[in-house]
Amino acid sequence: MEENKQKILIVEDEATLQKTLQEVLTAEGYSALSALDGQRGFEIAKEEIPDLILLDIILPKMDGFEVLKALKDDETTKFIPVIILTNLGDLNDIQKALDLGATTYLVKADFSLEDVLKKIKEIMTS
Amino acid sequence: MKNFLDQLNFVKKCREYHLGLWQCPSFLFIIMGTMNVVAMLSTYMIAKRYDNPEIVIISVSGVSIIIFVIGSSIIKGVEQVARASMMKSEFVSIVSHQLKSPLTGMRWSLELLRGEKIGELNDKQSDYLKSAYENVSRMVRLVNDLLDVSRIENEGIKMIPQKISFDKTVKDVVKELEFFAKANNTQIKFKSEDNIPKVYVDPIRARMVVQNLIDNAIKYSSMKGNVEIELLKKGSFVCCQVHDSGVGIPEKEQKKVFNKFFRSNNVTKKQTVGTGLGLYIAKAIIESSGGKIGFTSEEGKGSVFWFSLPIASK
């Protein structure tokens, strides 16, 4: 049973956000993995090959753009859809992330958990 | 006339900017102008009196040096004002970004609690959580507004325009705000001409404007109103009008409506919600989309706010 769960990796350095996301995703029946910095995020992505990655931009060690680039440059991880989940809302940042291959870009403060969940489901089922 | 006199009162102005008199561009400019006139007259007198070109040259050079020195202090003064304004905008932008993370944390945690995903709540608890959640959401909106204002002032509002069916946008917003209207005892109606052509605009930004106007119309209808939204084609524009039967705007305040932080006197007494930023941002969005925005209003009877957006070329 455990094996059938879809895996979602949360790369988020704010403990509160990481915890709430994990809680909600687990409640929805996903298996949620967490990394608190960019480098660890990339390592876990390589080891576990999750079905989806939620990626913050402002992160210690490697920032979200660097992680995204590394993921998309790596043969084993380049097919994993990545949702950027950040509070940087400038058009330049959005454009940069989409150019690097992010599936979608959400500004955290503007989305409720429910909206985030809806987006995740949308992408997981497509 | 009063405006003109106000402009001349540079001492007061410099004090407002927190600048010393000798750093104040308008004061220095007047000194420089006076110097110029005096210098010209005296050069003329000297040249007439002494038949000696050296004296004239020396006096002209002396005056030029003084003008140069004053000129450079004017530039310094202007630079100082510009720097202060830049620091202010940067400050707003940093504060807003830093505020967003803890706010998101609060909002999501509250949402988790409210959703009863981690335990059941009694009615009282849900009520308080609901009000905490709404307050946090309001703060998020305020922070977003402040960020938008600082963007408008720094680099202008940036947009990604697309061809969109505007009647759908408006219909969606009306639907979304129906609940808020009901809570305010207000009837909300939407009517549209058939075959409204598509407009070329940033969908998220345009939605913000519609939301803001309807939200205002409901908010200021003082619990008994009718709000009617009408969409029509006018020449090469699509025009959206929001009629309300609310408190209206007193005539003498009407020209300040689109100013930053404007809040009308007749509402601040009753309504504390509102930042006075919505219409300022709406105007910036509509104008950078090539449209126009305006209103007519009568105190005690209501207002009509309207805006137009250019029809997308095929």
Side-chain angles (χ1 to χ4, degrees):
Chain A
M1 200 52 203
E2 197 64 14
E3 287 301 302
N4 295 331
K5 279 188 180 174
Q6 286 182 302
K7 267 187 279 185
I8 298 180
L9 169 61
I10 306 159
V11 191
E12 167 67 69
D13 62 327
E14 297 252 353
T16 324
L17 300 184
Q18 179 263 326
K19 251 167 68 186
T20 42
L21 281 171
Q22 187 147 15
E23 191 82 49
V24 161
L25 291 176
T26 318
E28 285 294 319
Y30 297 109
S31 144
L33 308 164
S34 280
L36 291 167
D37 67 68
Q39 203 179 336
R40 189 79 198 109
F42 180 60
E43 284 165 13
I44 297 180
K46 273 199 72 110
E47 284 161 24
E48 300 276 343
I49 313 291
D51 299 284
L52 179 81
I53 299 174
L54 301 176
L55 182 61
D56 193 8
I57 297 284
I58 304 173
L59 288 168
K61 294 190 188 161
M62 257 170 110
D63 74 28
F65 292 123
E66 288 168 330
V67 177
L68 184 58
K69 192 170 179 312
L71 287 169
K72 293 295 165 187
D73 284 346
D74 194 302
E75 280 303 317
T76 54
T77 55
K78 79 194 240 195
F79 301 104
I80 307 173
V82 177
I83 298 183
I84 300 290
L85 198 54
T86 176
N87 267 325
L88 289 182
D90 270 348
L91 278 184
N92 293 340
D93 299 317
I94 299 176
Q95 202 55 56
K96 191 173 167 189
L98 295 179
D99 287 346
L100 282 171
T103 310
T104 185
Y105 192 109
L106 308 179
V107 177
K108 285 188 278 203
D110 300 342
F111 285 84
S112 63
L113 273 178
E114 204 179 320
D115 296 333
V116 175
L117 208 57
K118 234 186 255 167
K119 282 274 172 194
I120 291 173
K121 281 183 188 157
E122 228 175 83
I123 291 169
M124 294 288 255
T125 49
S126 67
Chain B
M1 188 63 191
K2 195 172 165 286
N3 267 350
F4 180 69
L5 283 179
D6 269 352
Q7 281 208 323
L8 278 184
N9 191 355
F10 49 81
V11 178
K12 185 177 137 209
K13 238 175 163 177
C14 296
R15 223 169 263 151
E16 274 172 18
Y17 294 152
H18 298 288
L19 286 174
L21 210 49
W22 289 100
Q23 288 176 313
C24 184
S26 32
F27 173 71
L28 290 170
F29 195 74
I30 287 173
I31 296 281
M32 195 162 86
T34 321
M35 284 279 309
N36 253 329
V37 175
V38 172
M40 262 190 318
L41 286 176
S42 39
T43 311
Y44 171 74
M45 308 270 260
I46 293 168
K48 206 171 175 193
R49 183 143 179 213
Y50 304 96
D51 215 4
N52 190 343
E54 281 91 353
I55 296 182
V56 178
I57 286 182
I58 288 170
S59 78
V60 169
S61 321
V63 172
S64 304
I65 289 171
I66 296 172
I67 290 178
F68 183 76
V69 171
I70 297 179
S72 75
S73 357
I74 293 184
I75 289 170
K76 260 192 207 139
V78 173
E79 272 174 358
Q80 201 174 348
V81 174
R83 209 168 26 235
S85 134
M86 199 176 77
M87 269 168 59
K88 186 199 74 187
S89 302
E90 272 175 5
F91 176 75
V92 172
S93 150
I94 289 170
V95 168
S96 313
H97 276 309
Q98 297 304 326
L99 277 173
K100 272 182 155 187
S101 285
L103 282 174
T104 314
M106 271 156 76
R107 194 169 159 193
W108 286 4
S109 305
L110 289 169
E111 201 188 330
L112 203 63
L113 284 169
R114 278 185 71 195
E116 303 195 318
K117 288 206 168 89
I118 44 176
E120 274 181 27
L121 301 165
N122 64 34
D123 288 352
K124 224 172 179 178
Q125 287 167 334
S126 330
D127 270 359
Y128 277 106
L129 278 176
K130 183 173 170 233
S131 98
Y133 183 79
E134 272 162 13
N135 277 295
V136 172
S137 304
R138 218 169 96 196
M139 239 162 109
V140 171
R141 277 201 298 276
L142 174 60
V143 168
N144 277 336
D145 281 357
L146 282 173
L147 259 177
D148 274 337
V149 169
S150 102
R151 279 193 198 120
I152 290 169
E153 287 180 350
N154 281 335
E155 71 249 44
I157 215 152
K158 276 192 216 152
M159 296 195 278
I160 313 176
Q162 288 170 25
K163 261 167 119 170
I164 59 164
S165 312
F166 205 55
D167 37 347
K168 183 172 181 310
T169 310
V170 180
K171 214 180 282 169
D172 284 352
V173 175
V174 170
K175 208 165 177 194
E176 196 183 286
L177 289 175
E178 249 161 18
F179 177 74
F180 180 54
K182 208 178 248 175
N184 275 280
N185 232 340
T186 296
Q187 289 274 335
I188 184 165
K189 254 189 277 171
F190 171 57
K191 64 177 185 192
S192 169
E193 278 180 3
D194 292 336
N195 307 321
I196 292 286
K198 288 191 171 180
V199 292
Y200 189 66
V201 69
D202 184 315
I204 298 173
R205 295 297 188 179
R207 197 189 158 87
M208 266 173 75
V209 176
V210 181
Q211 226 164 10
N212 179 268
L213 294 189
I214 303 180
D215 196 81
N216 278 348
I218 298 172
K219 205 158 58 185
Y220 298 123
S221 285
S222 50
M223 303 298 280
K224 57 171 175 11
N226 281 306
V227 171
E228 199 176 298
I229 299 111
E230 204 179 343
L231 205 58
L232 38 115
K233 183 174 171 268
K234 265 191 181 172
S236 55
F237 290 88
V238 168
C239 185
C240 178
Q241 299 178 339
V242 181
H243 303 252
D244 71 56
S245 56
V247 287
I249 302 156
E251 205 178 332
K252 61 172 193 269
E253 294 195 304
Q254 292 194 355
K255 61 173 187 264
K256 292 185 283 183
V257 163
F258 290 105
N259 289 0
K260 203 174 17 170
F261 299 114
F262 167 80
R263 304 217 51 219
S264 173
N265 272 332
N266 62 342
V267 299
T268 38
K269 285 175 209 141
K270 290 180 264 177
Q271 264 277 7
T272 46
V273 186
T275 57
L277 293 171
L279 287 175
Y280 173 79
I281 296 168
K283 186 169 192 250
I285 293 172
I286 294 299
E287 285 180 354
S288 16
S289 311
K292 280 194 182 130
I293 186 165
F295 69 97
T296 49
S297 183
E298 201 176 324
E299 193 175 6
K301 289 209 169 147
S303 313
V304 183
F305 275 82
W306 58 265
F307 65 89
S308 61
L309 287 168
I311 291 171
S313 48
K314 284 182 186 158

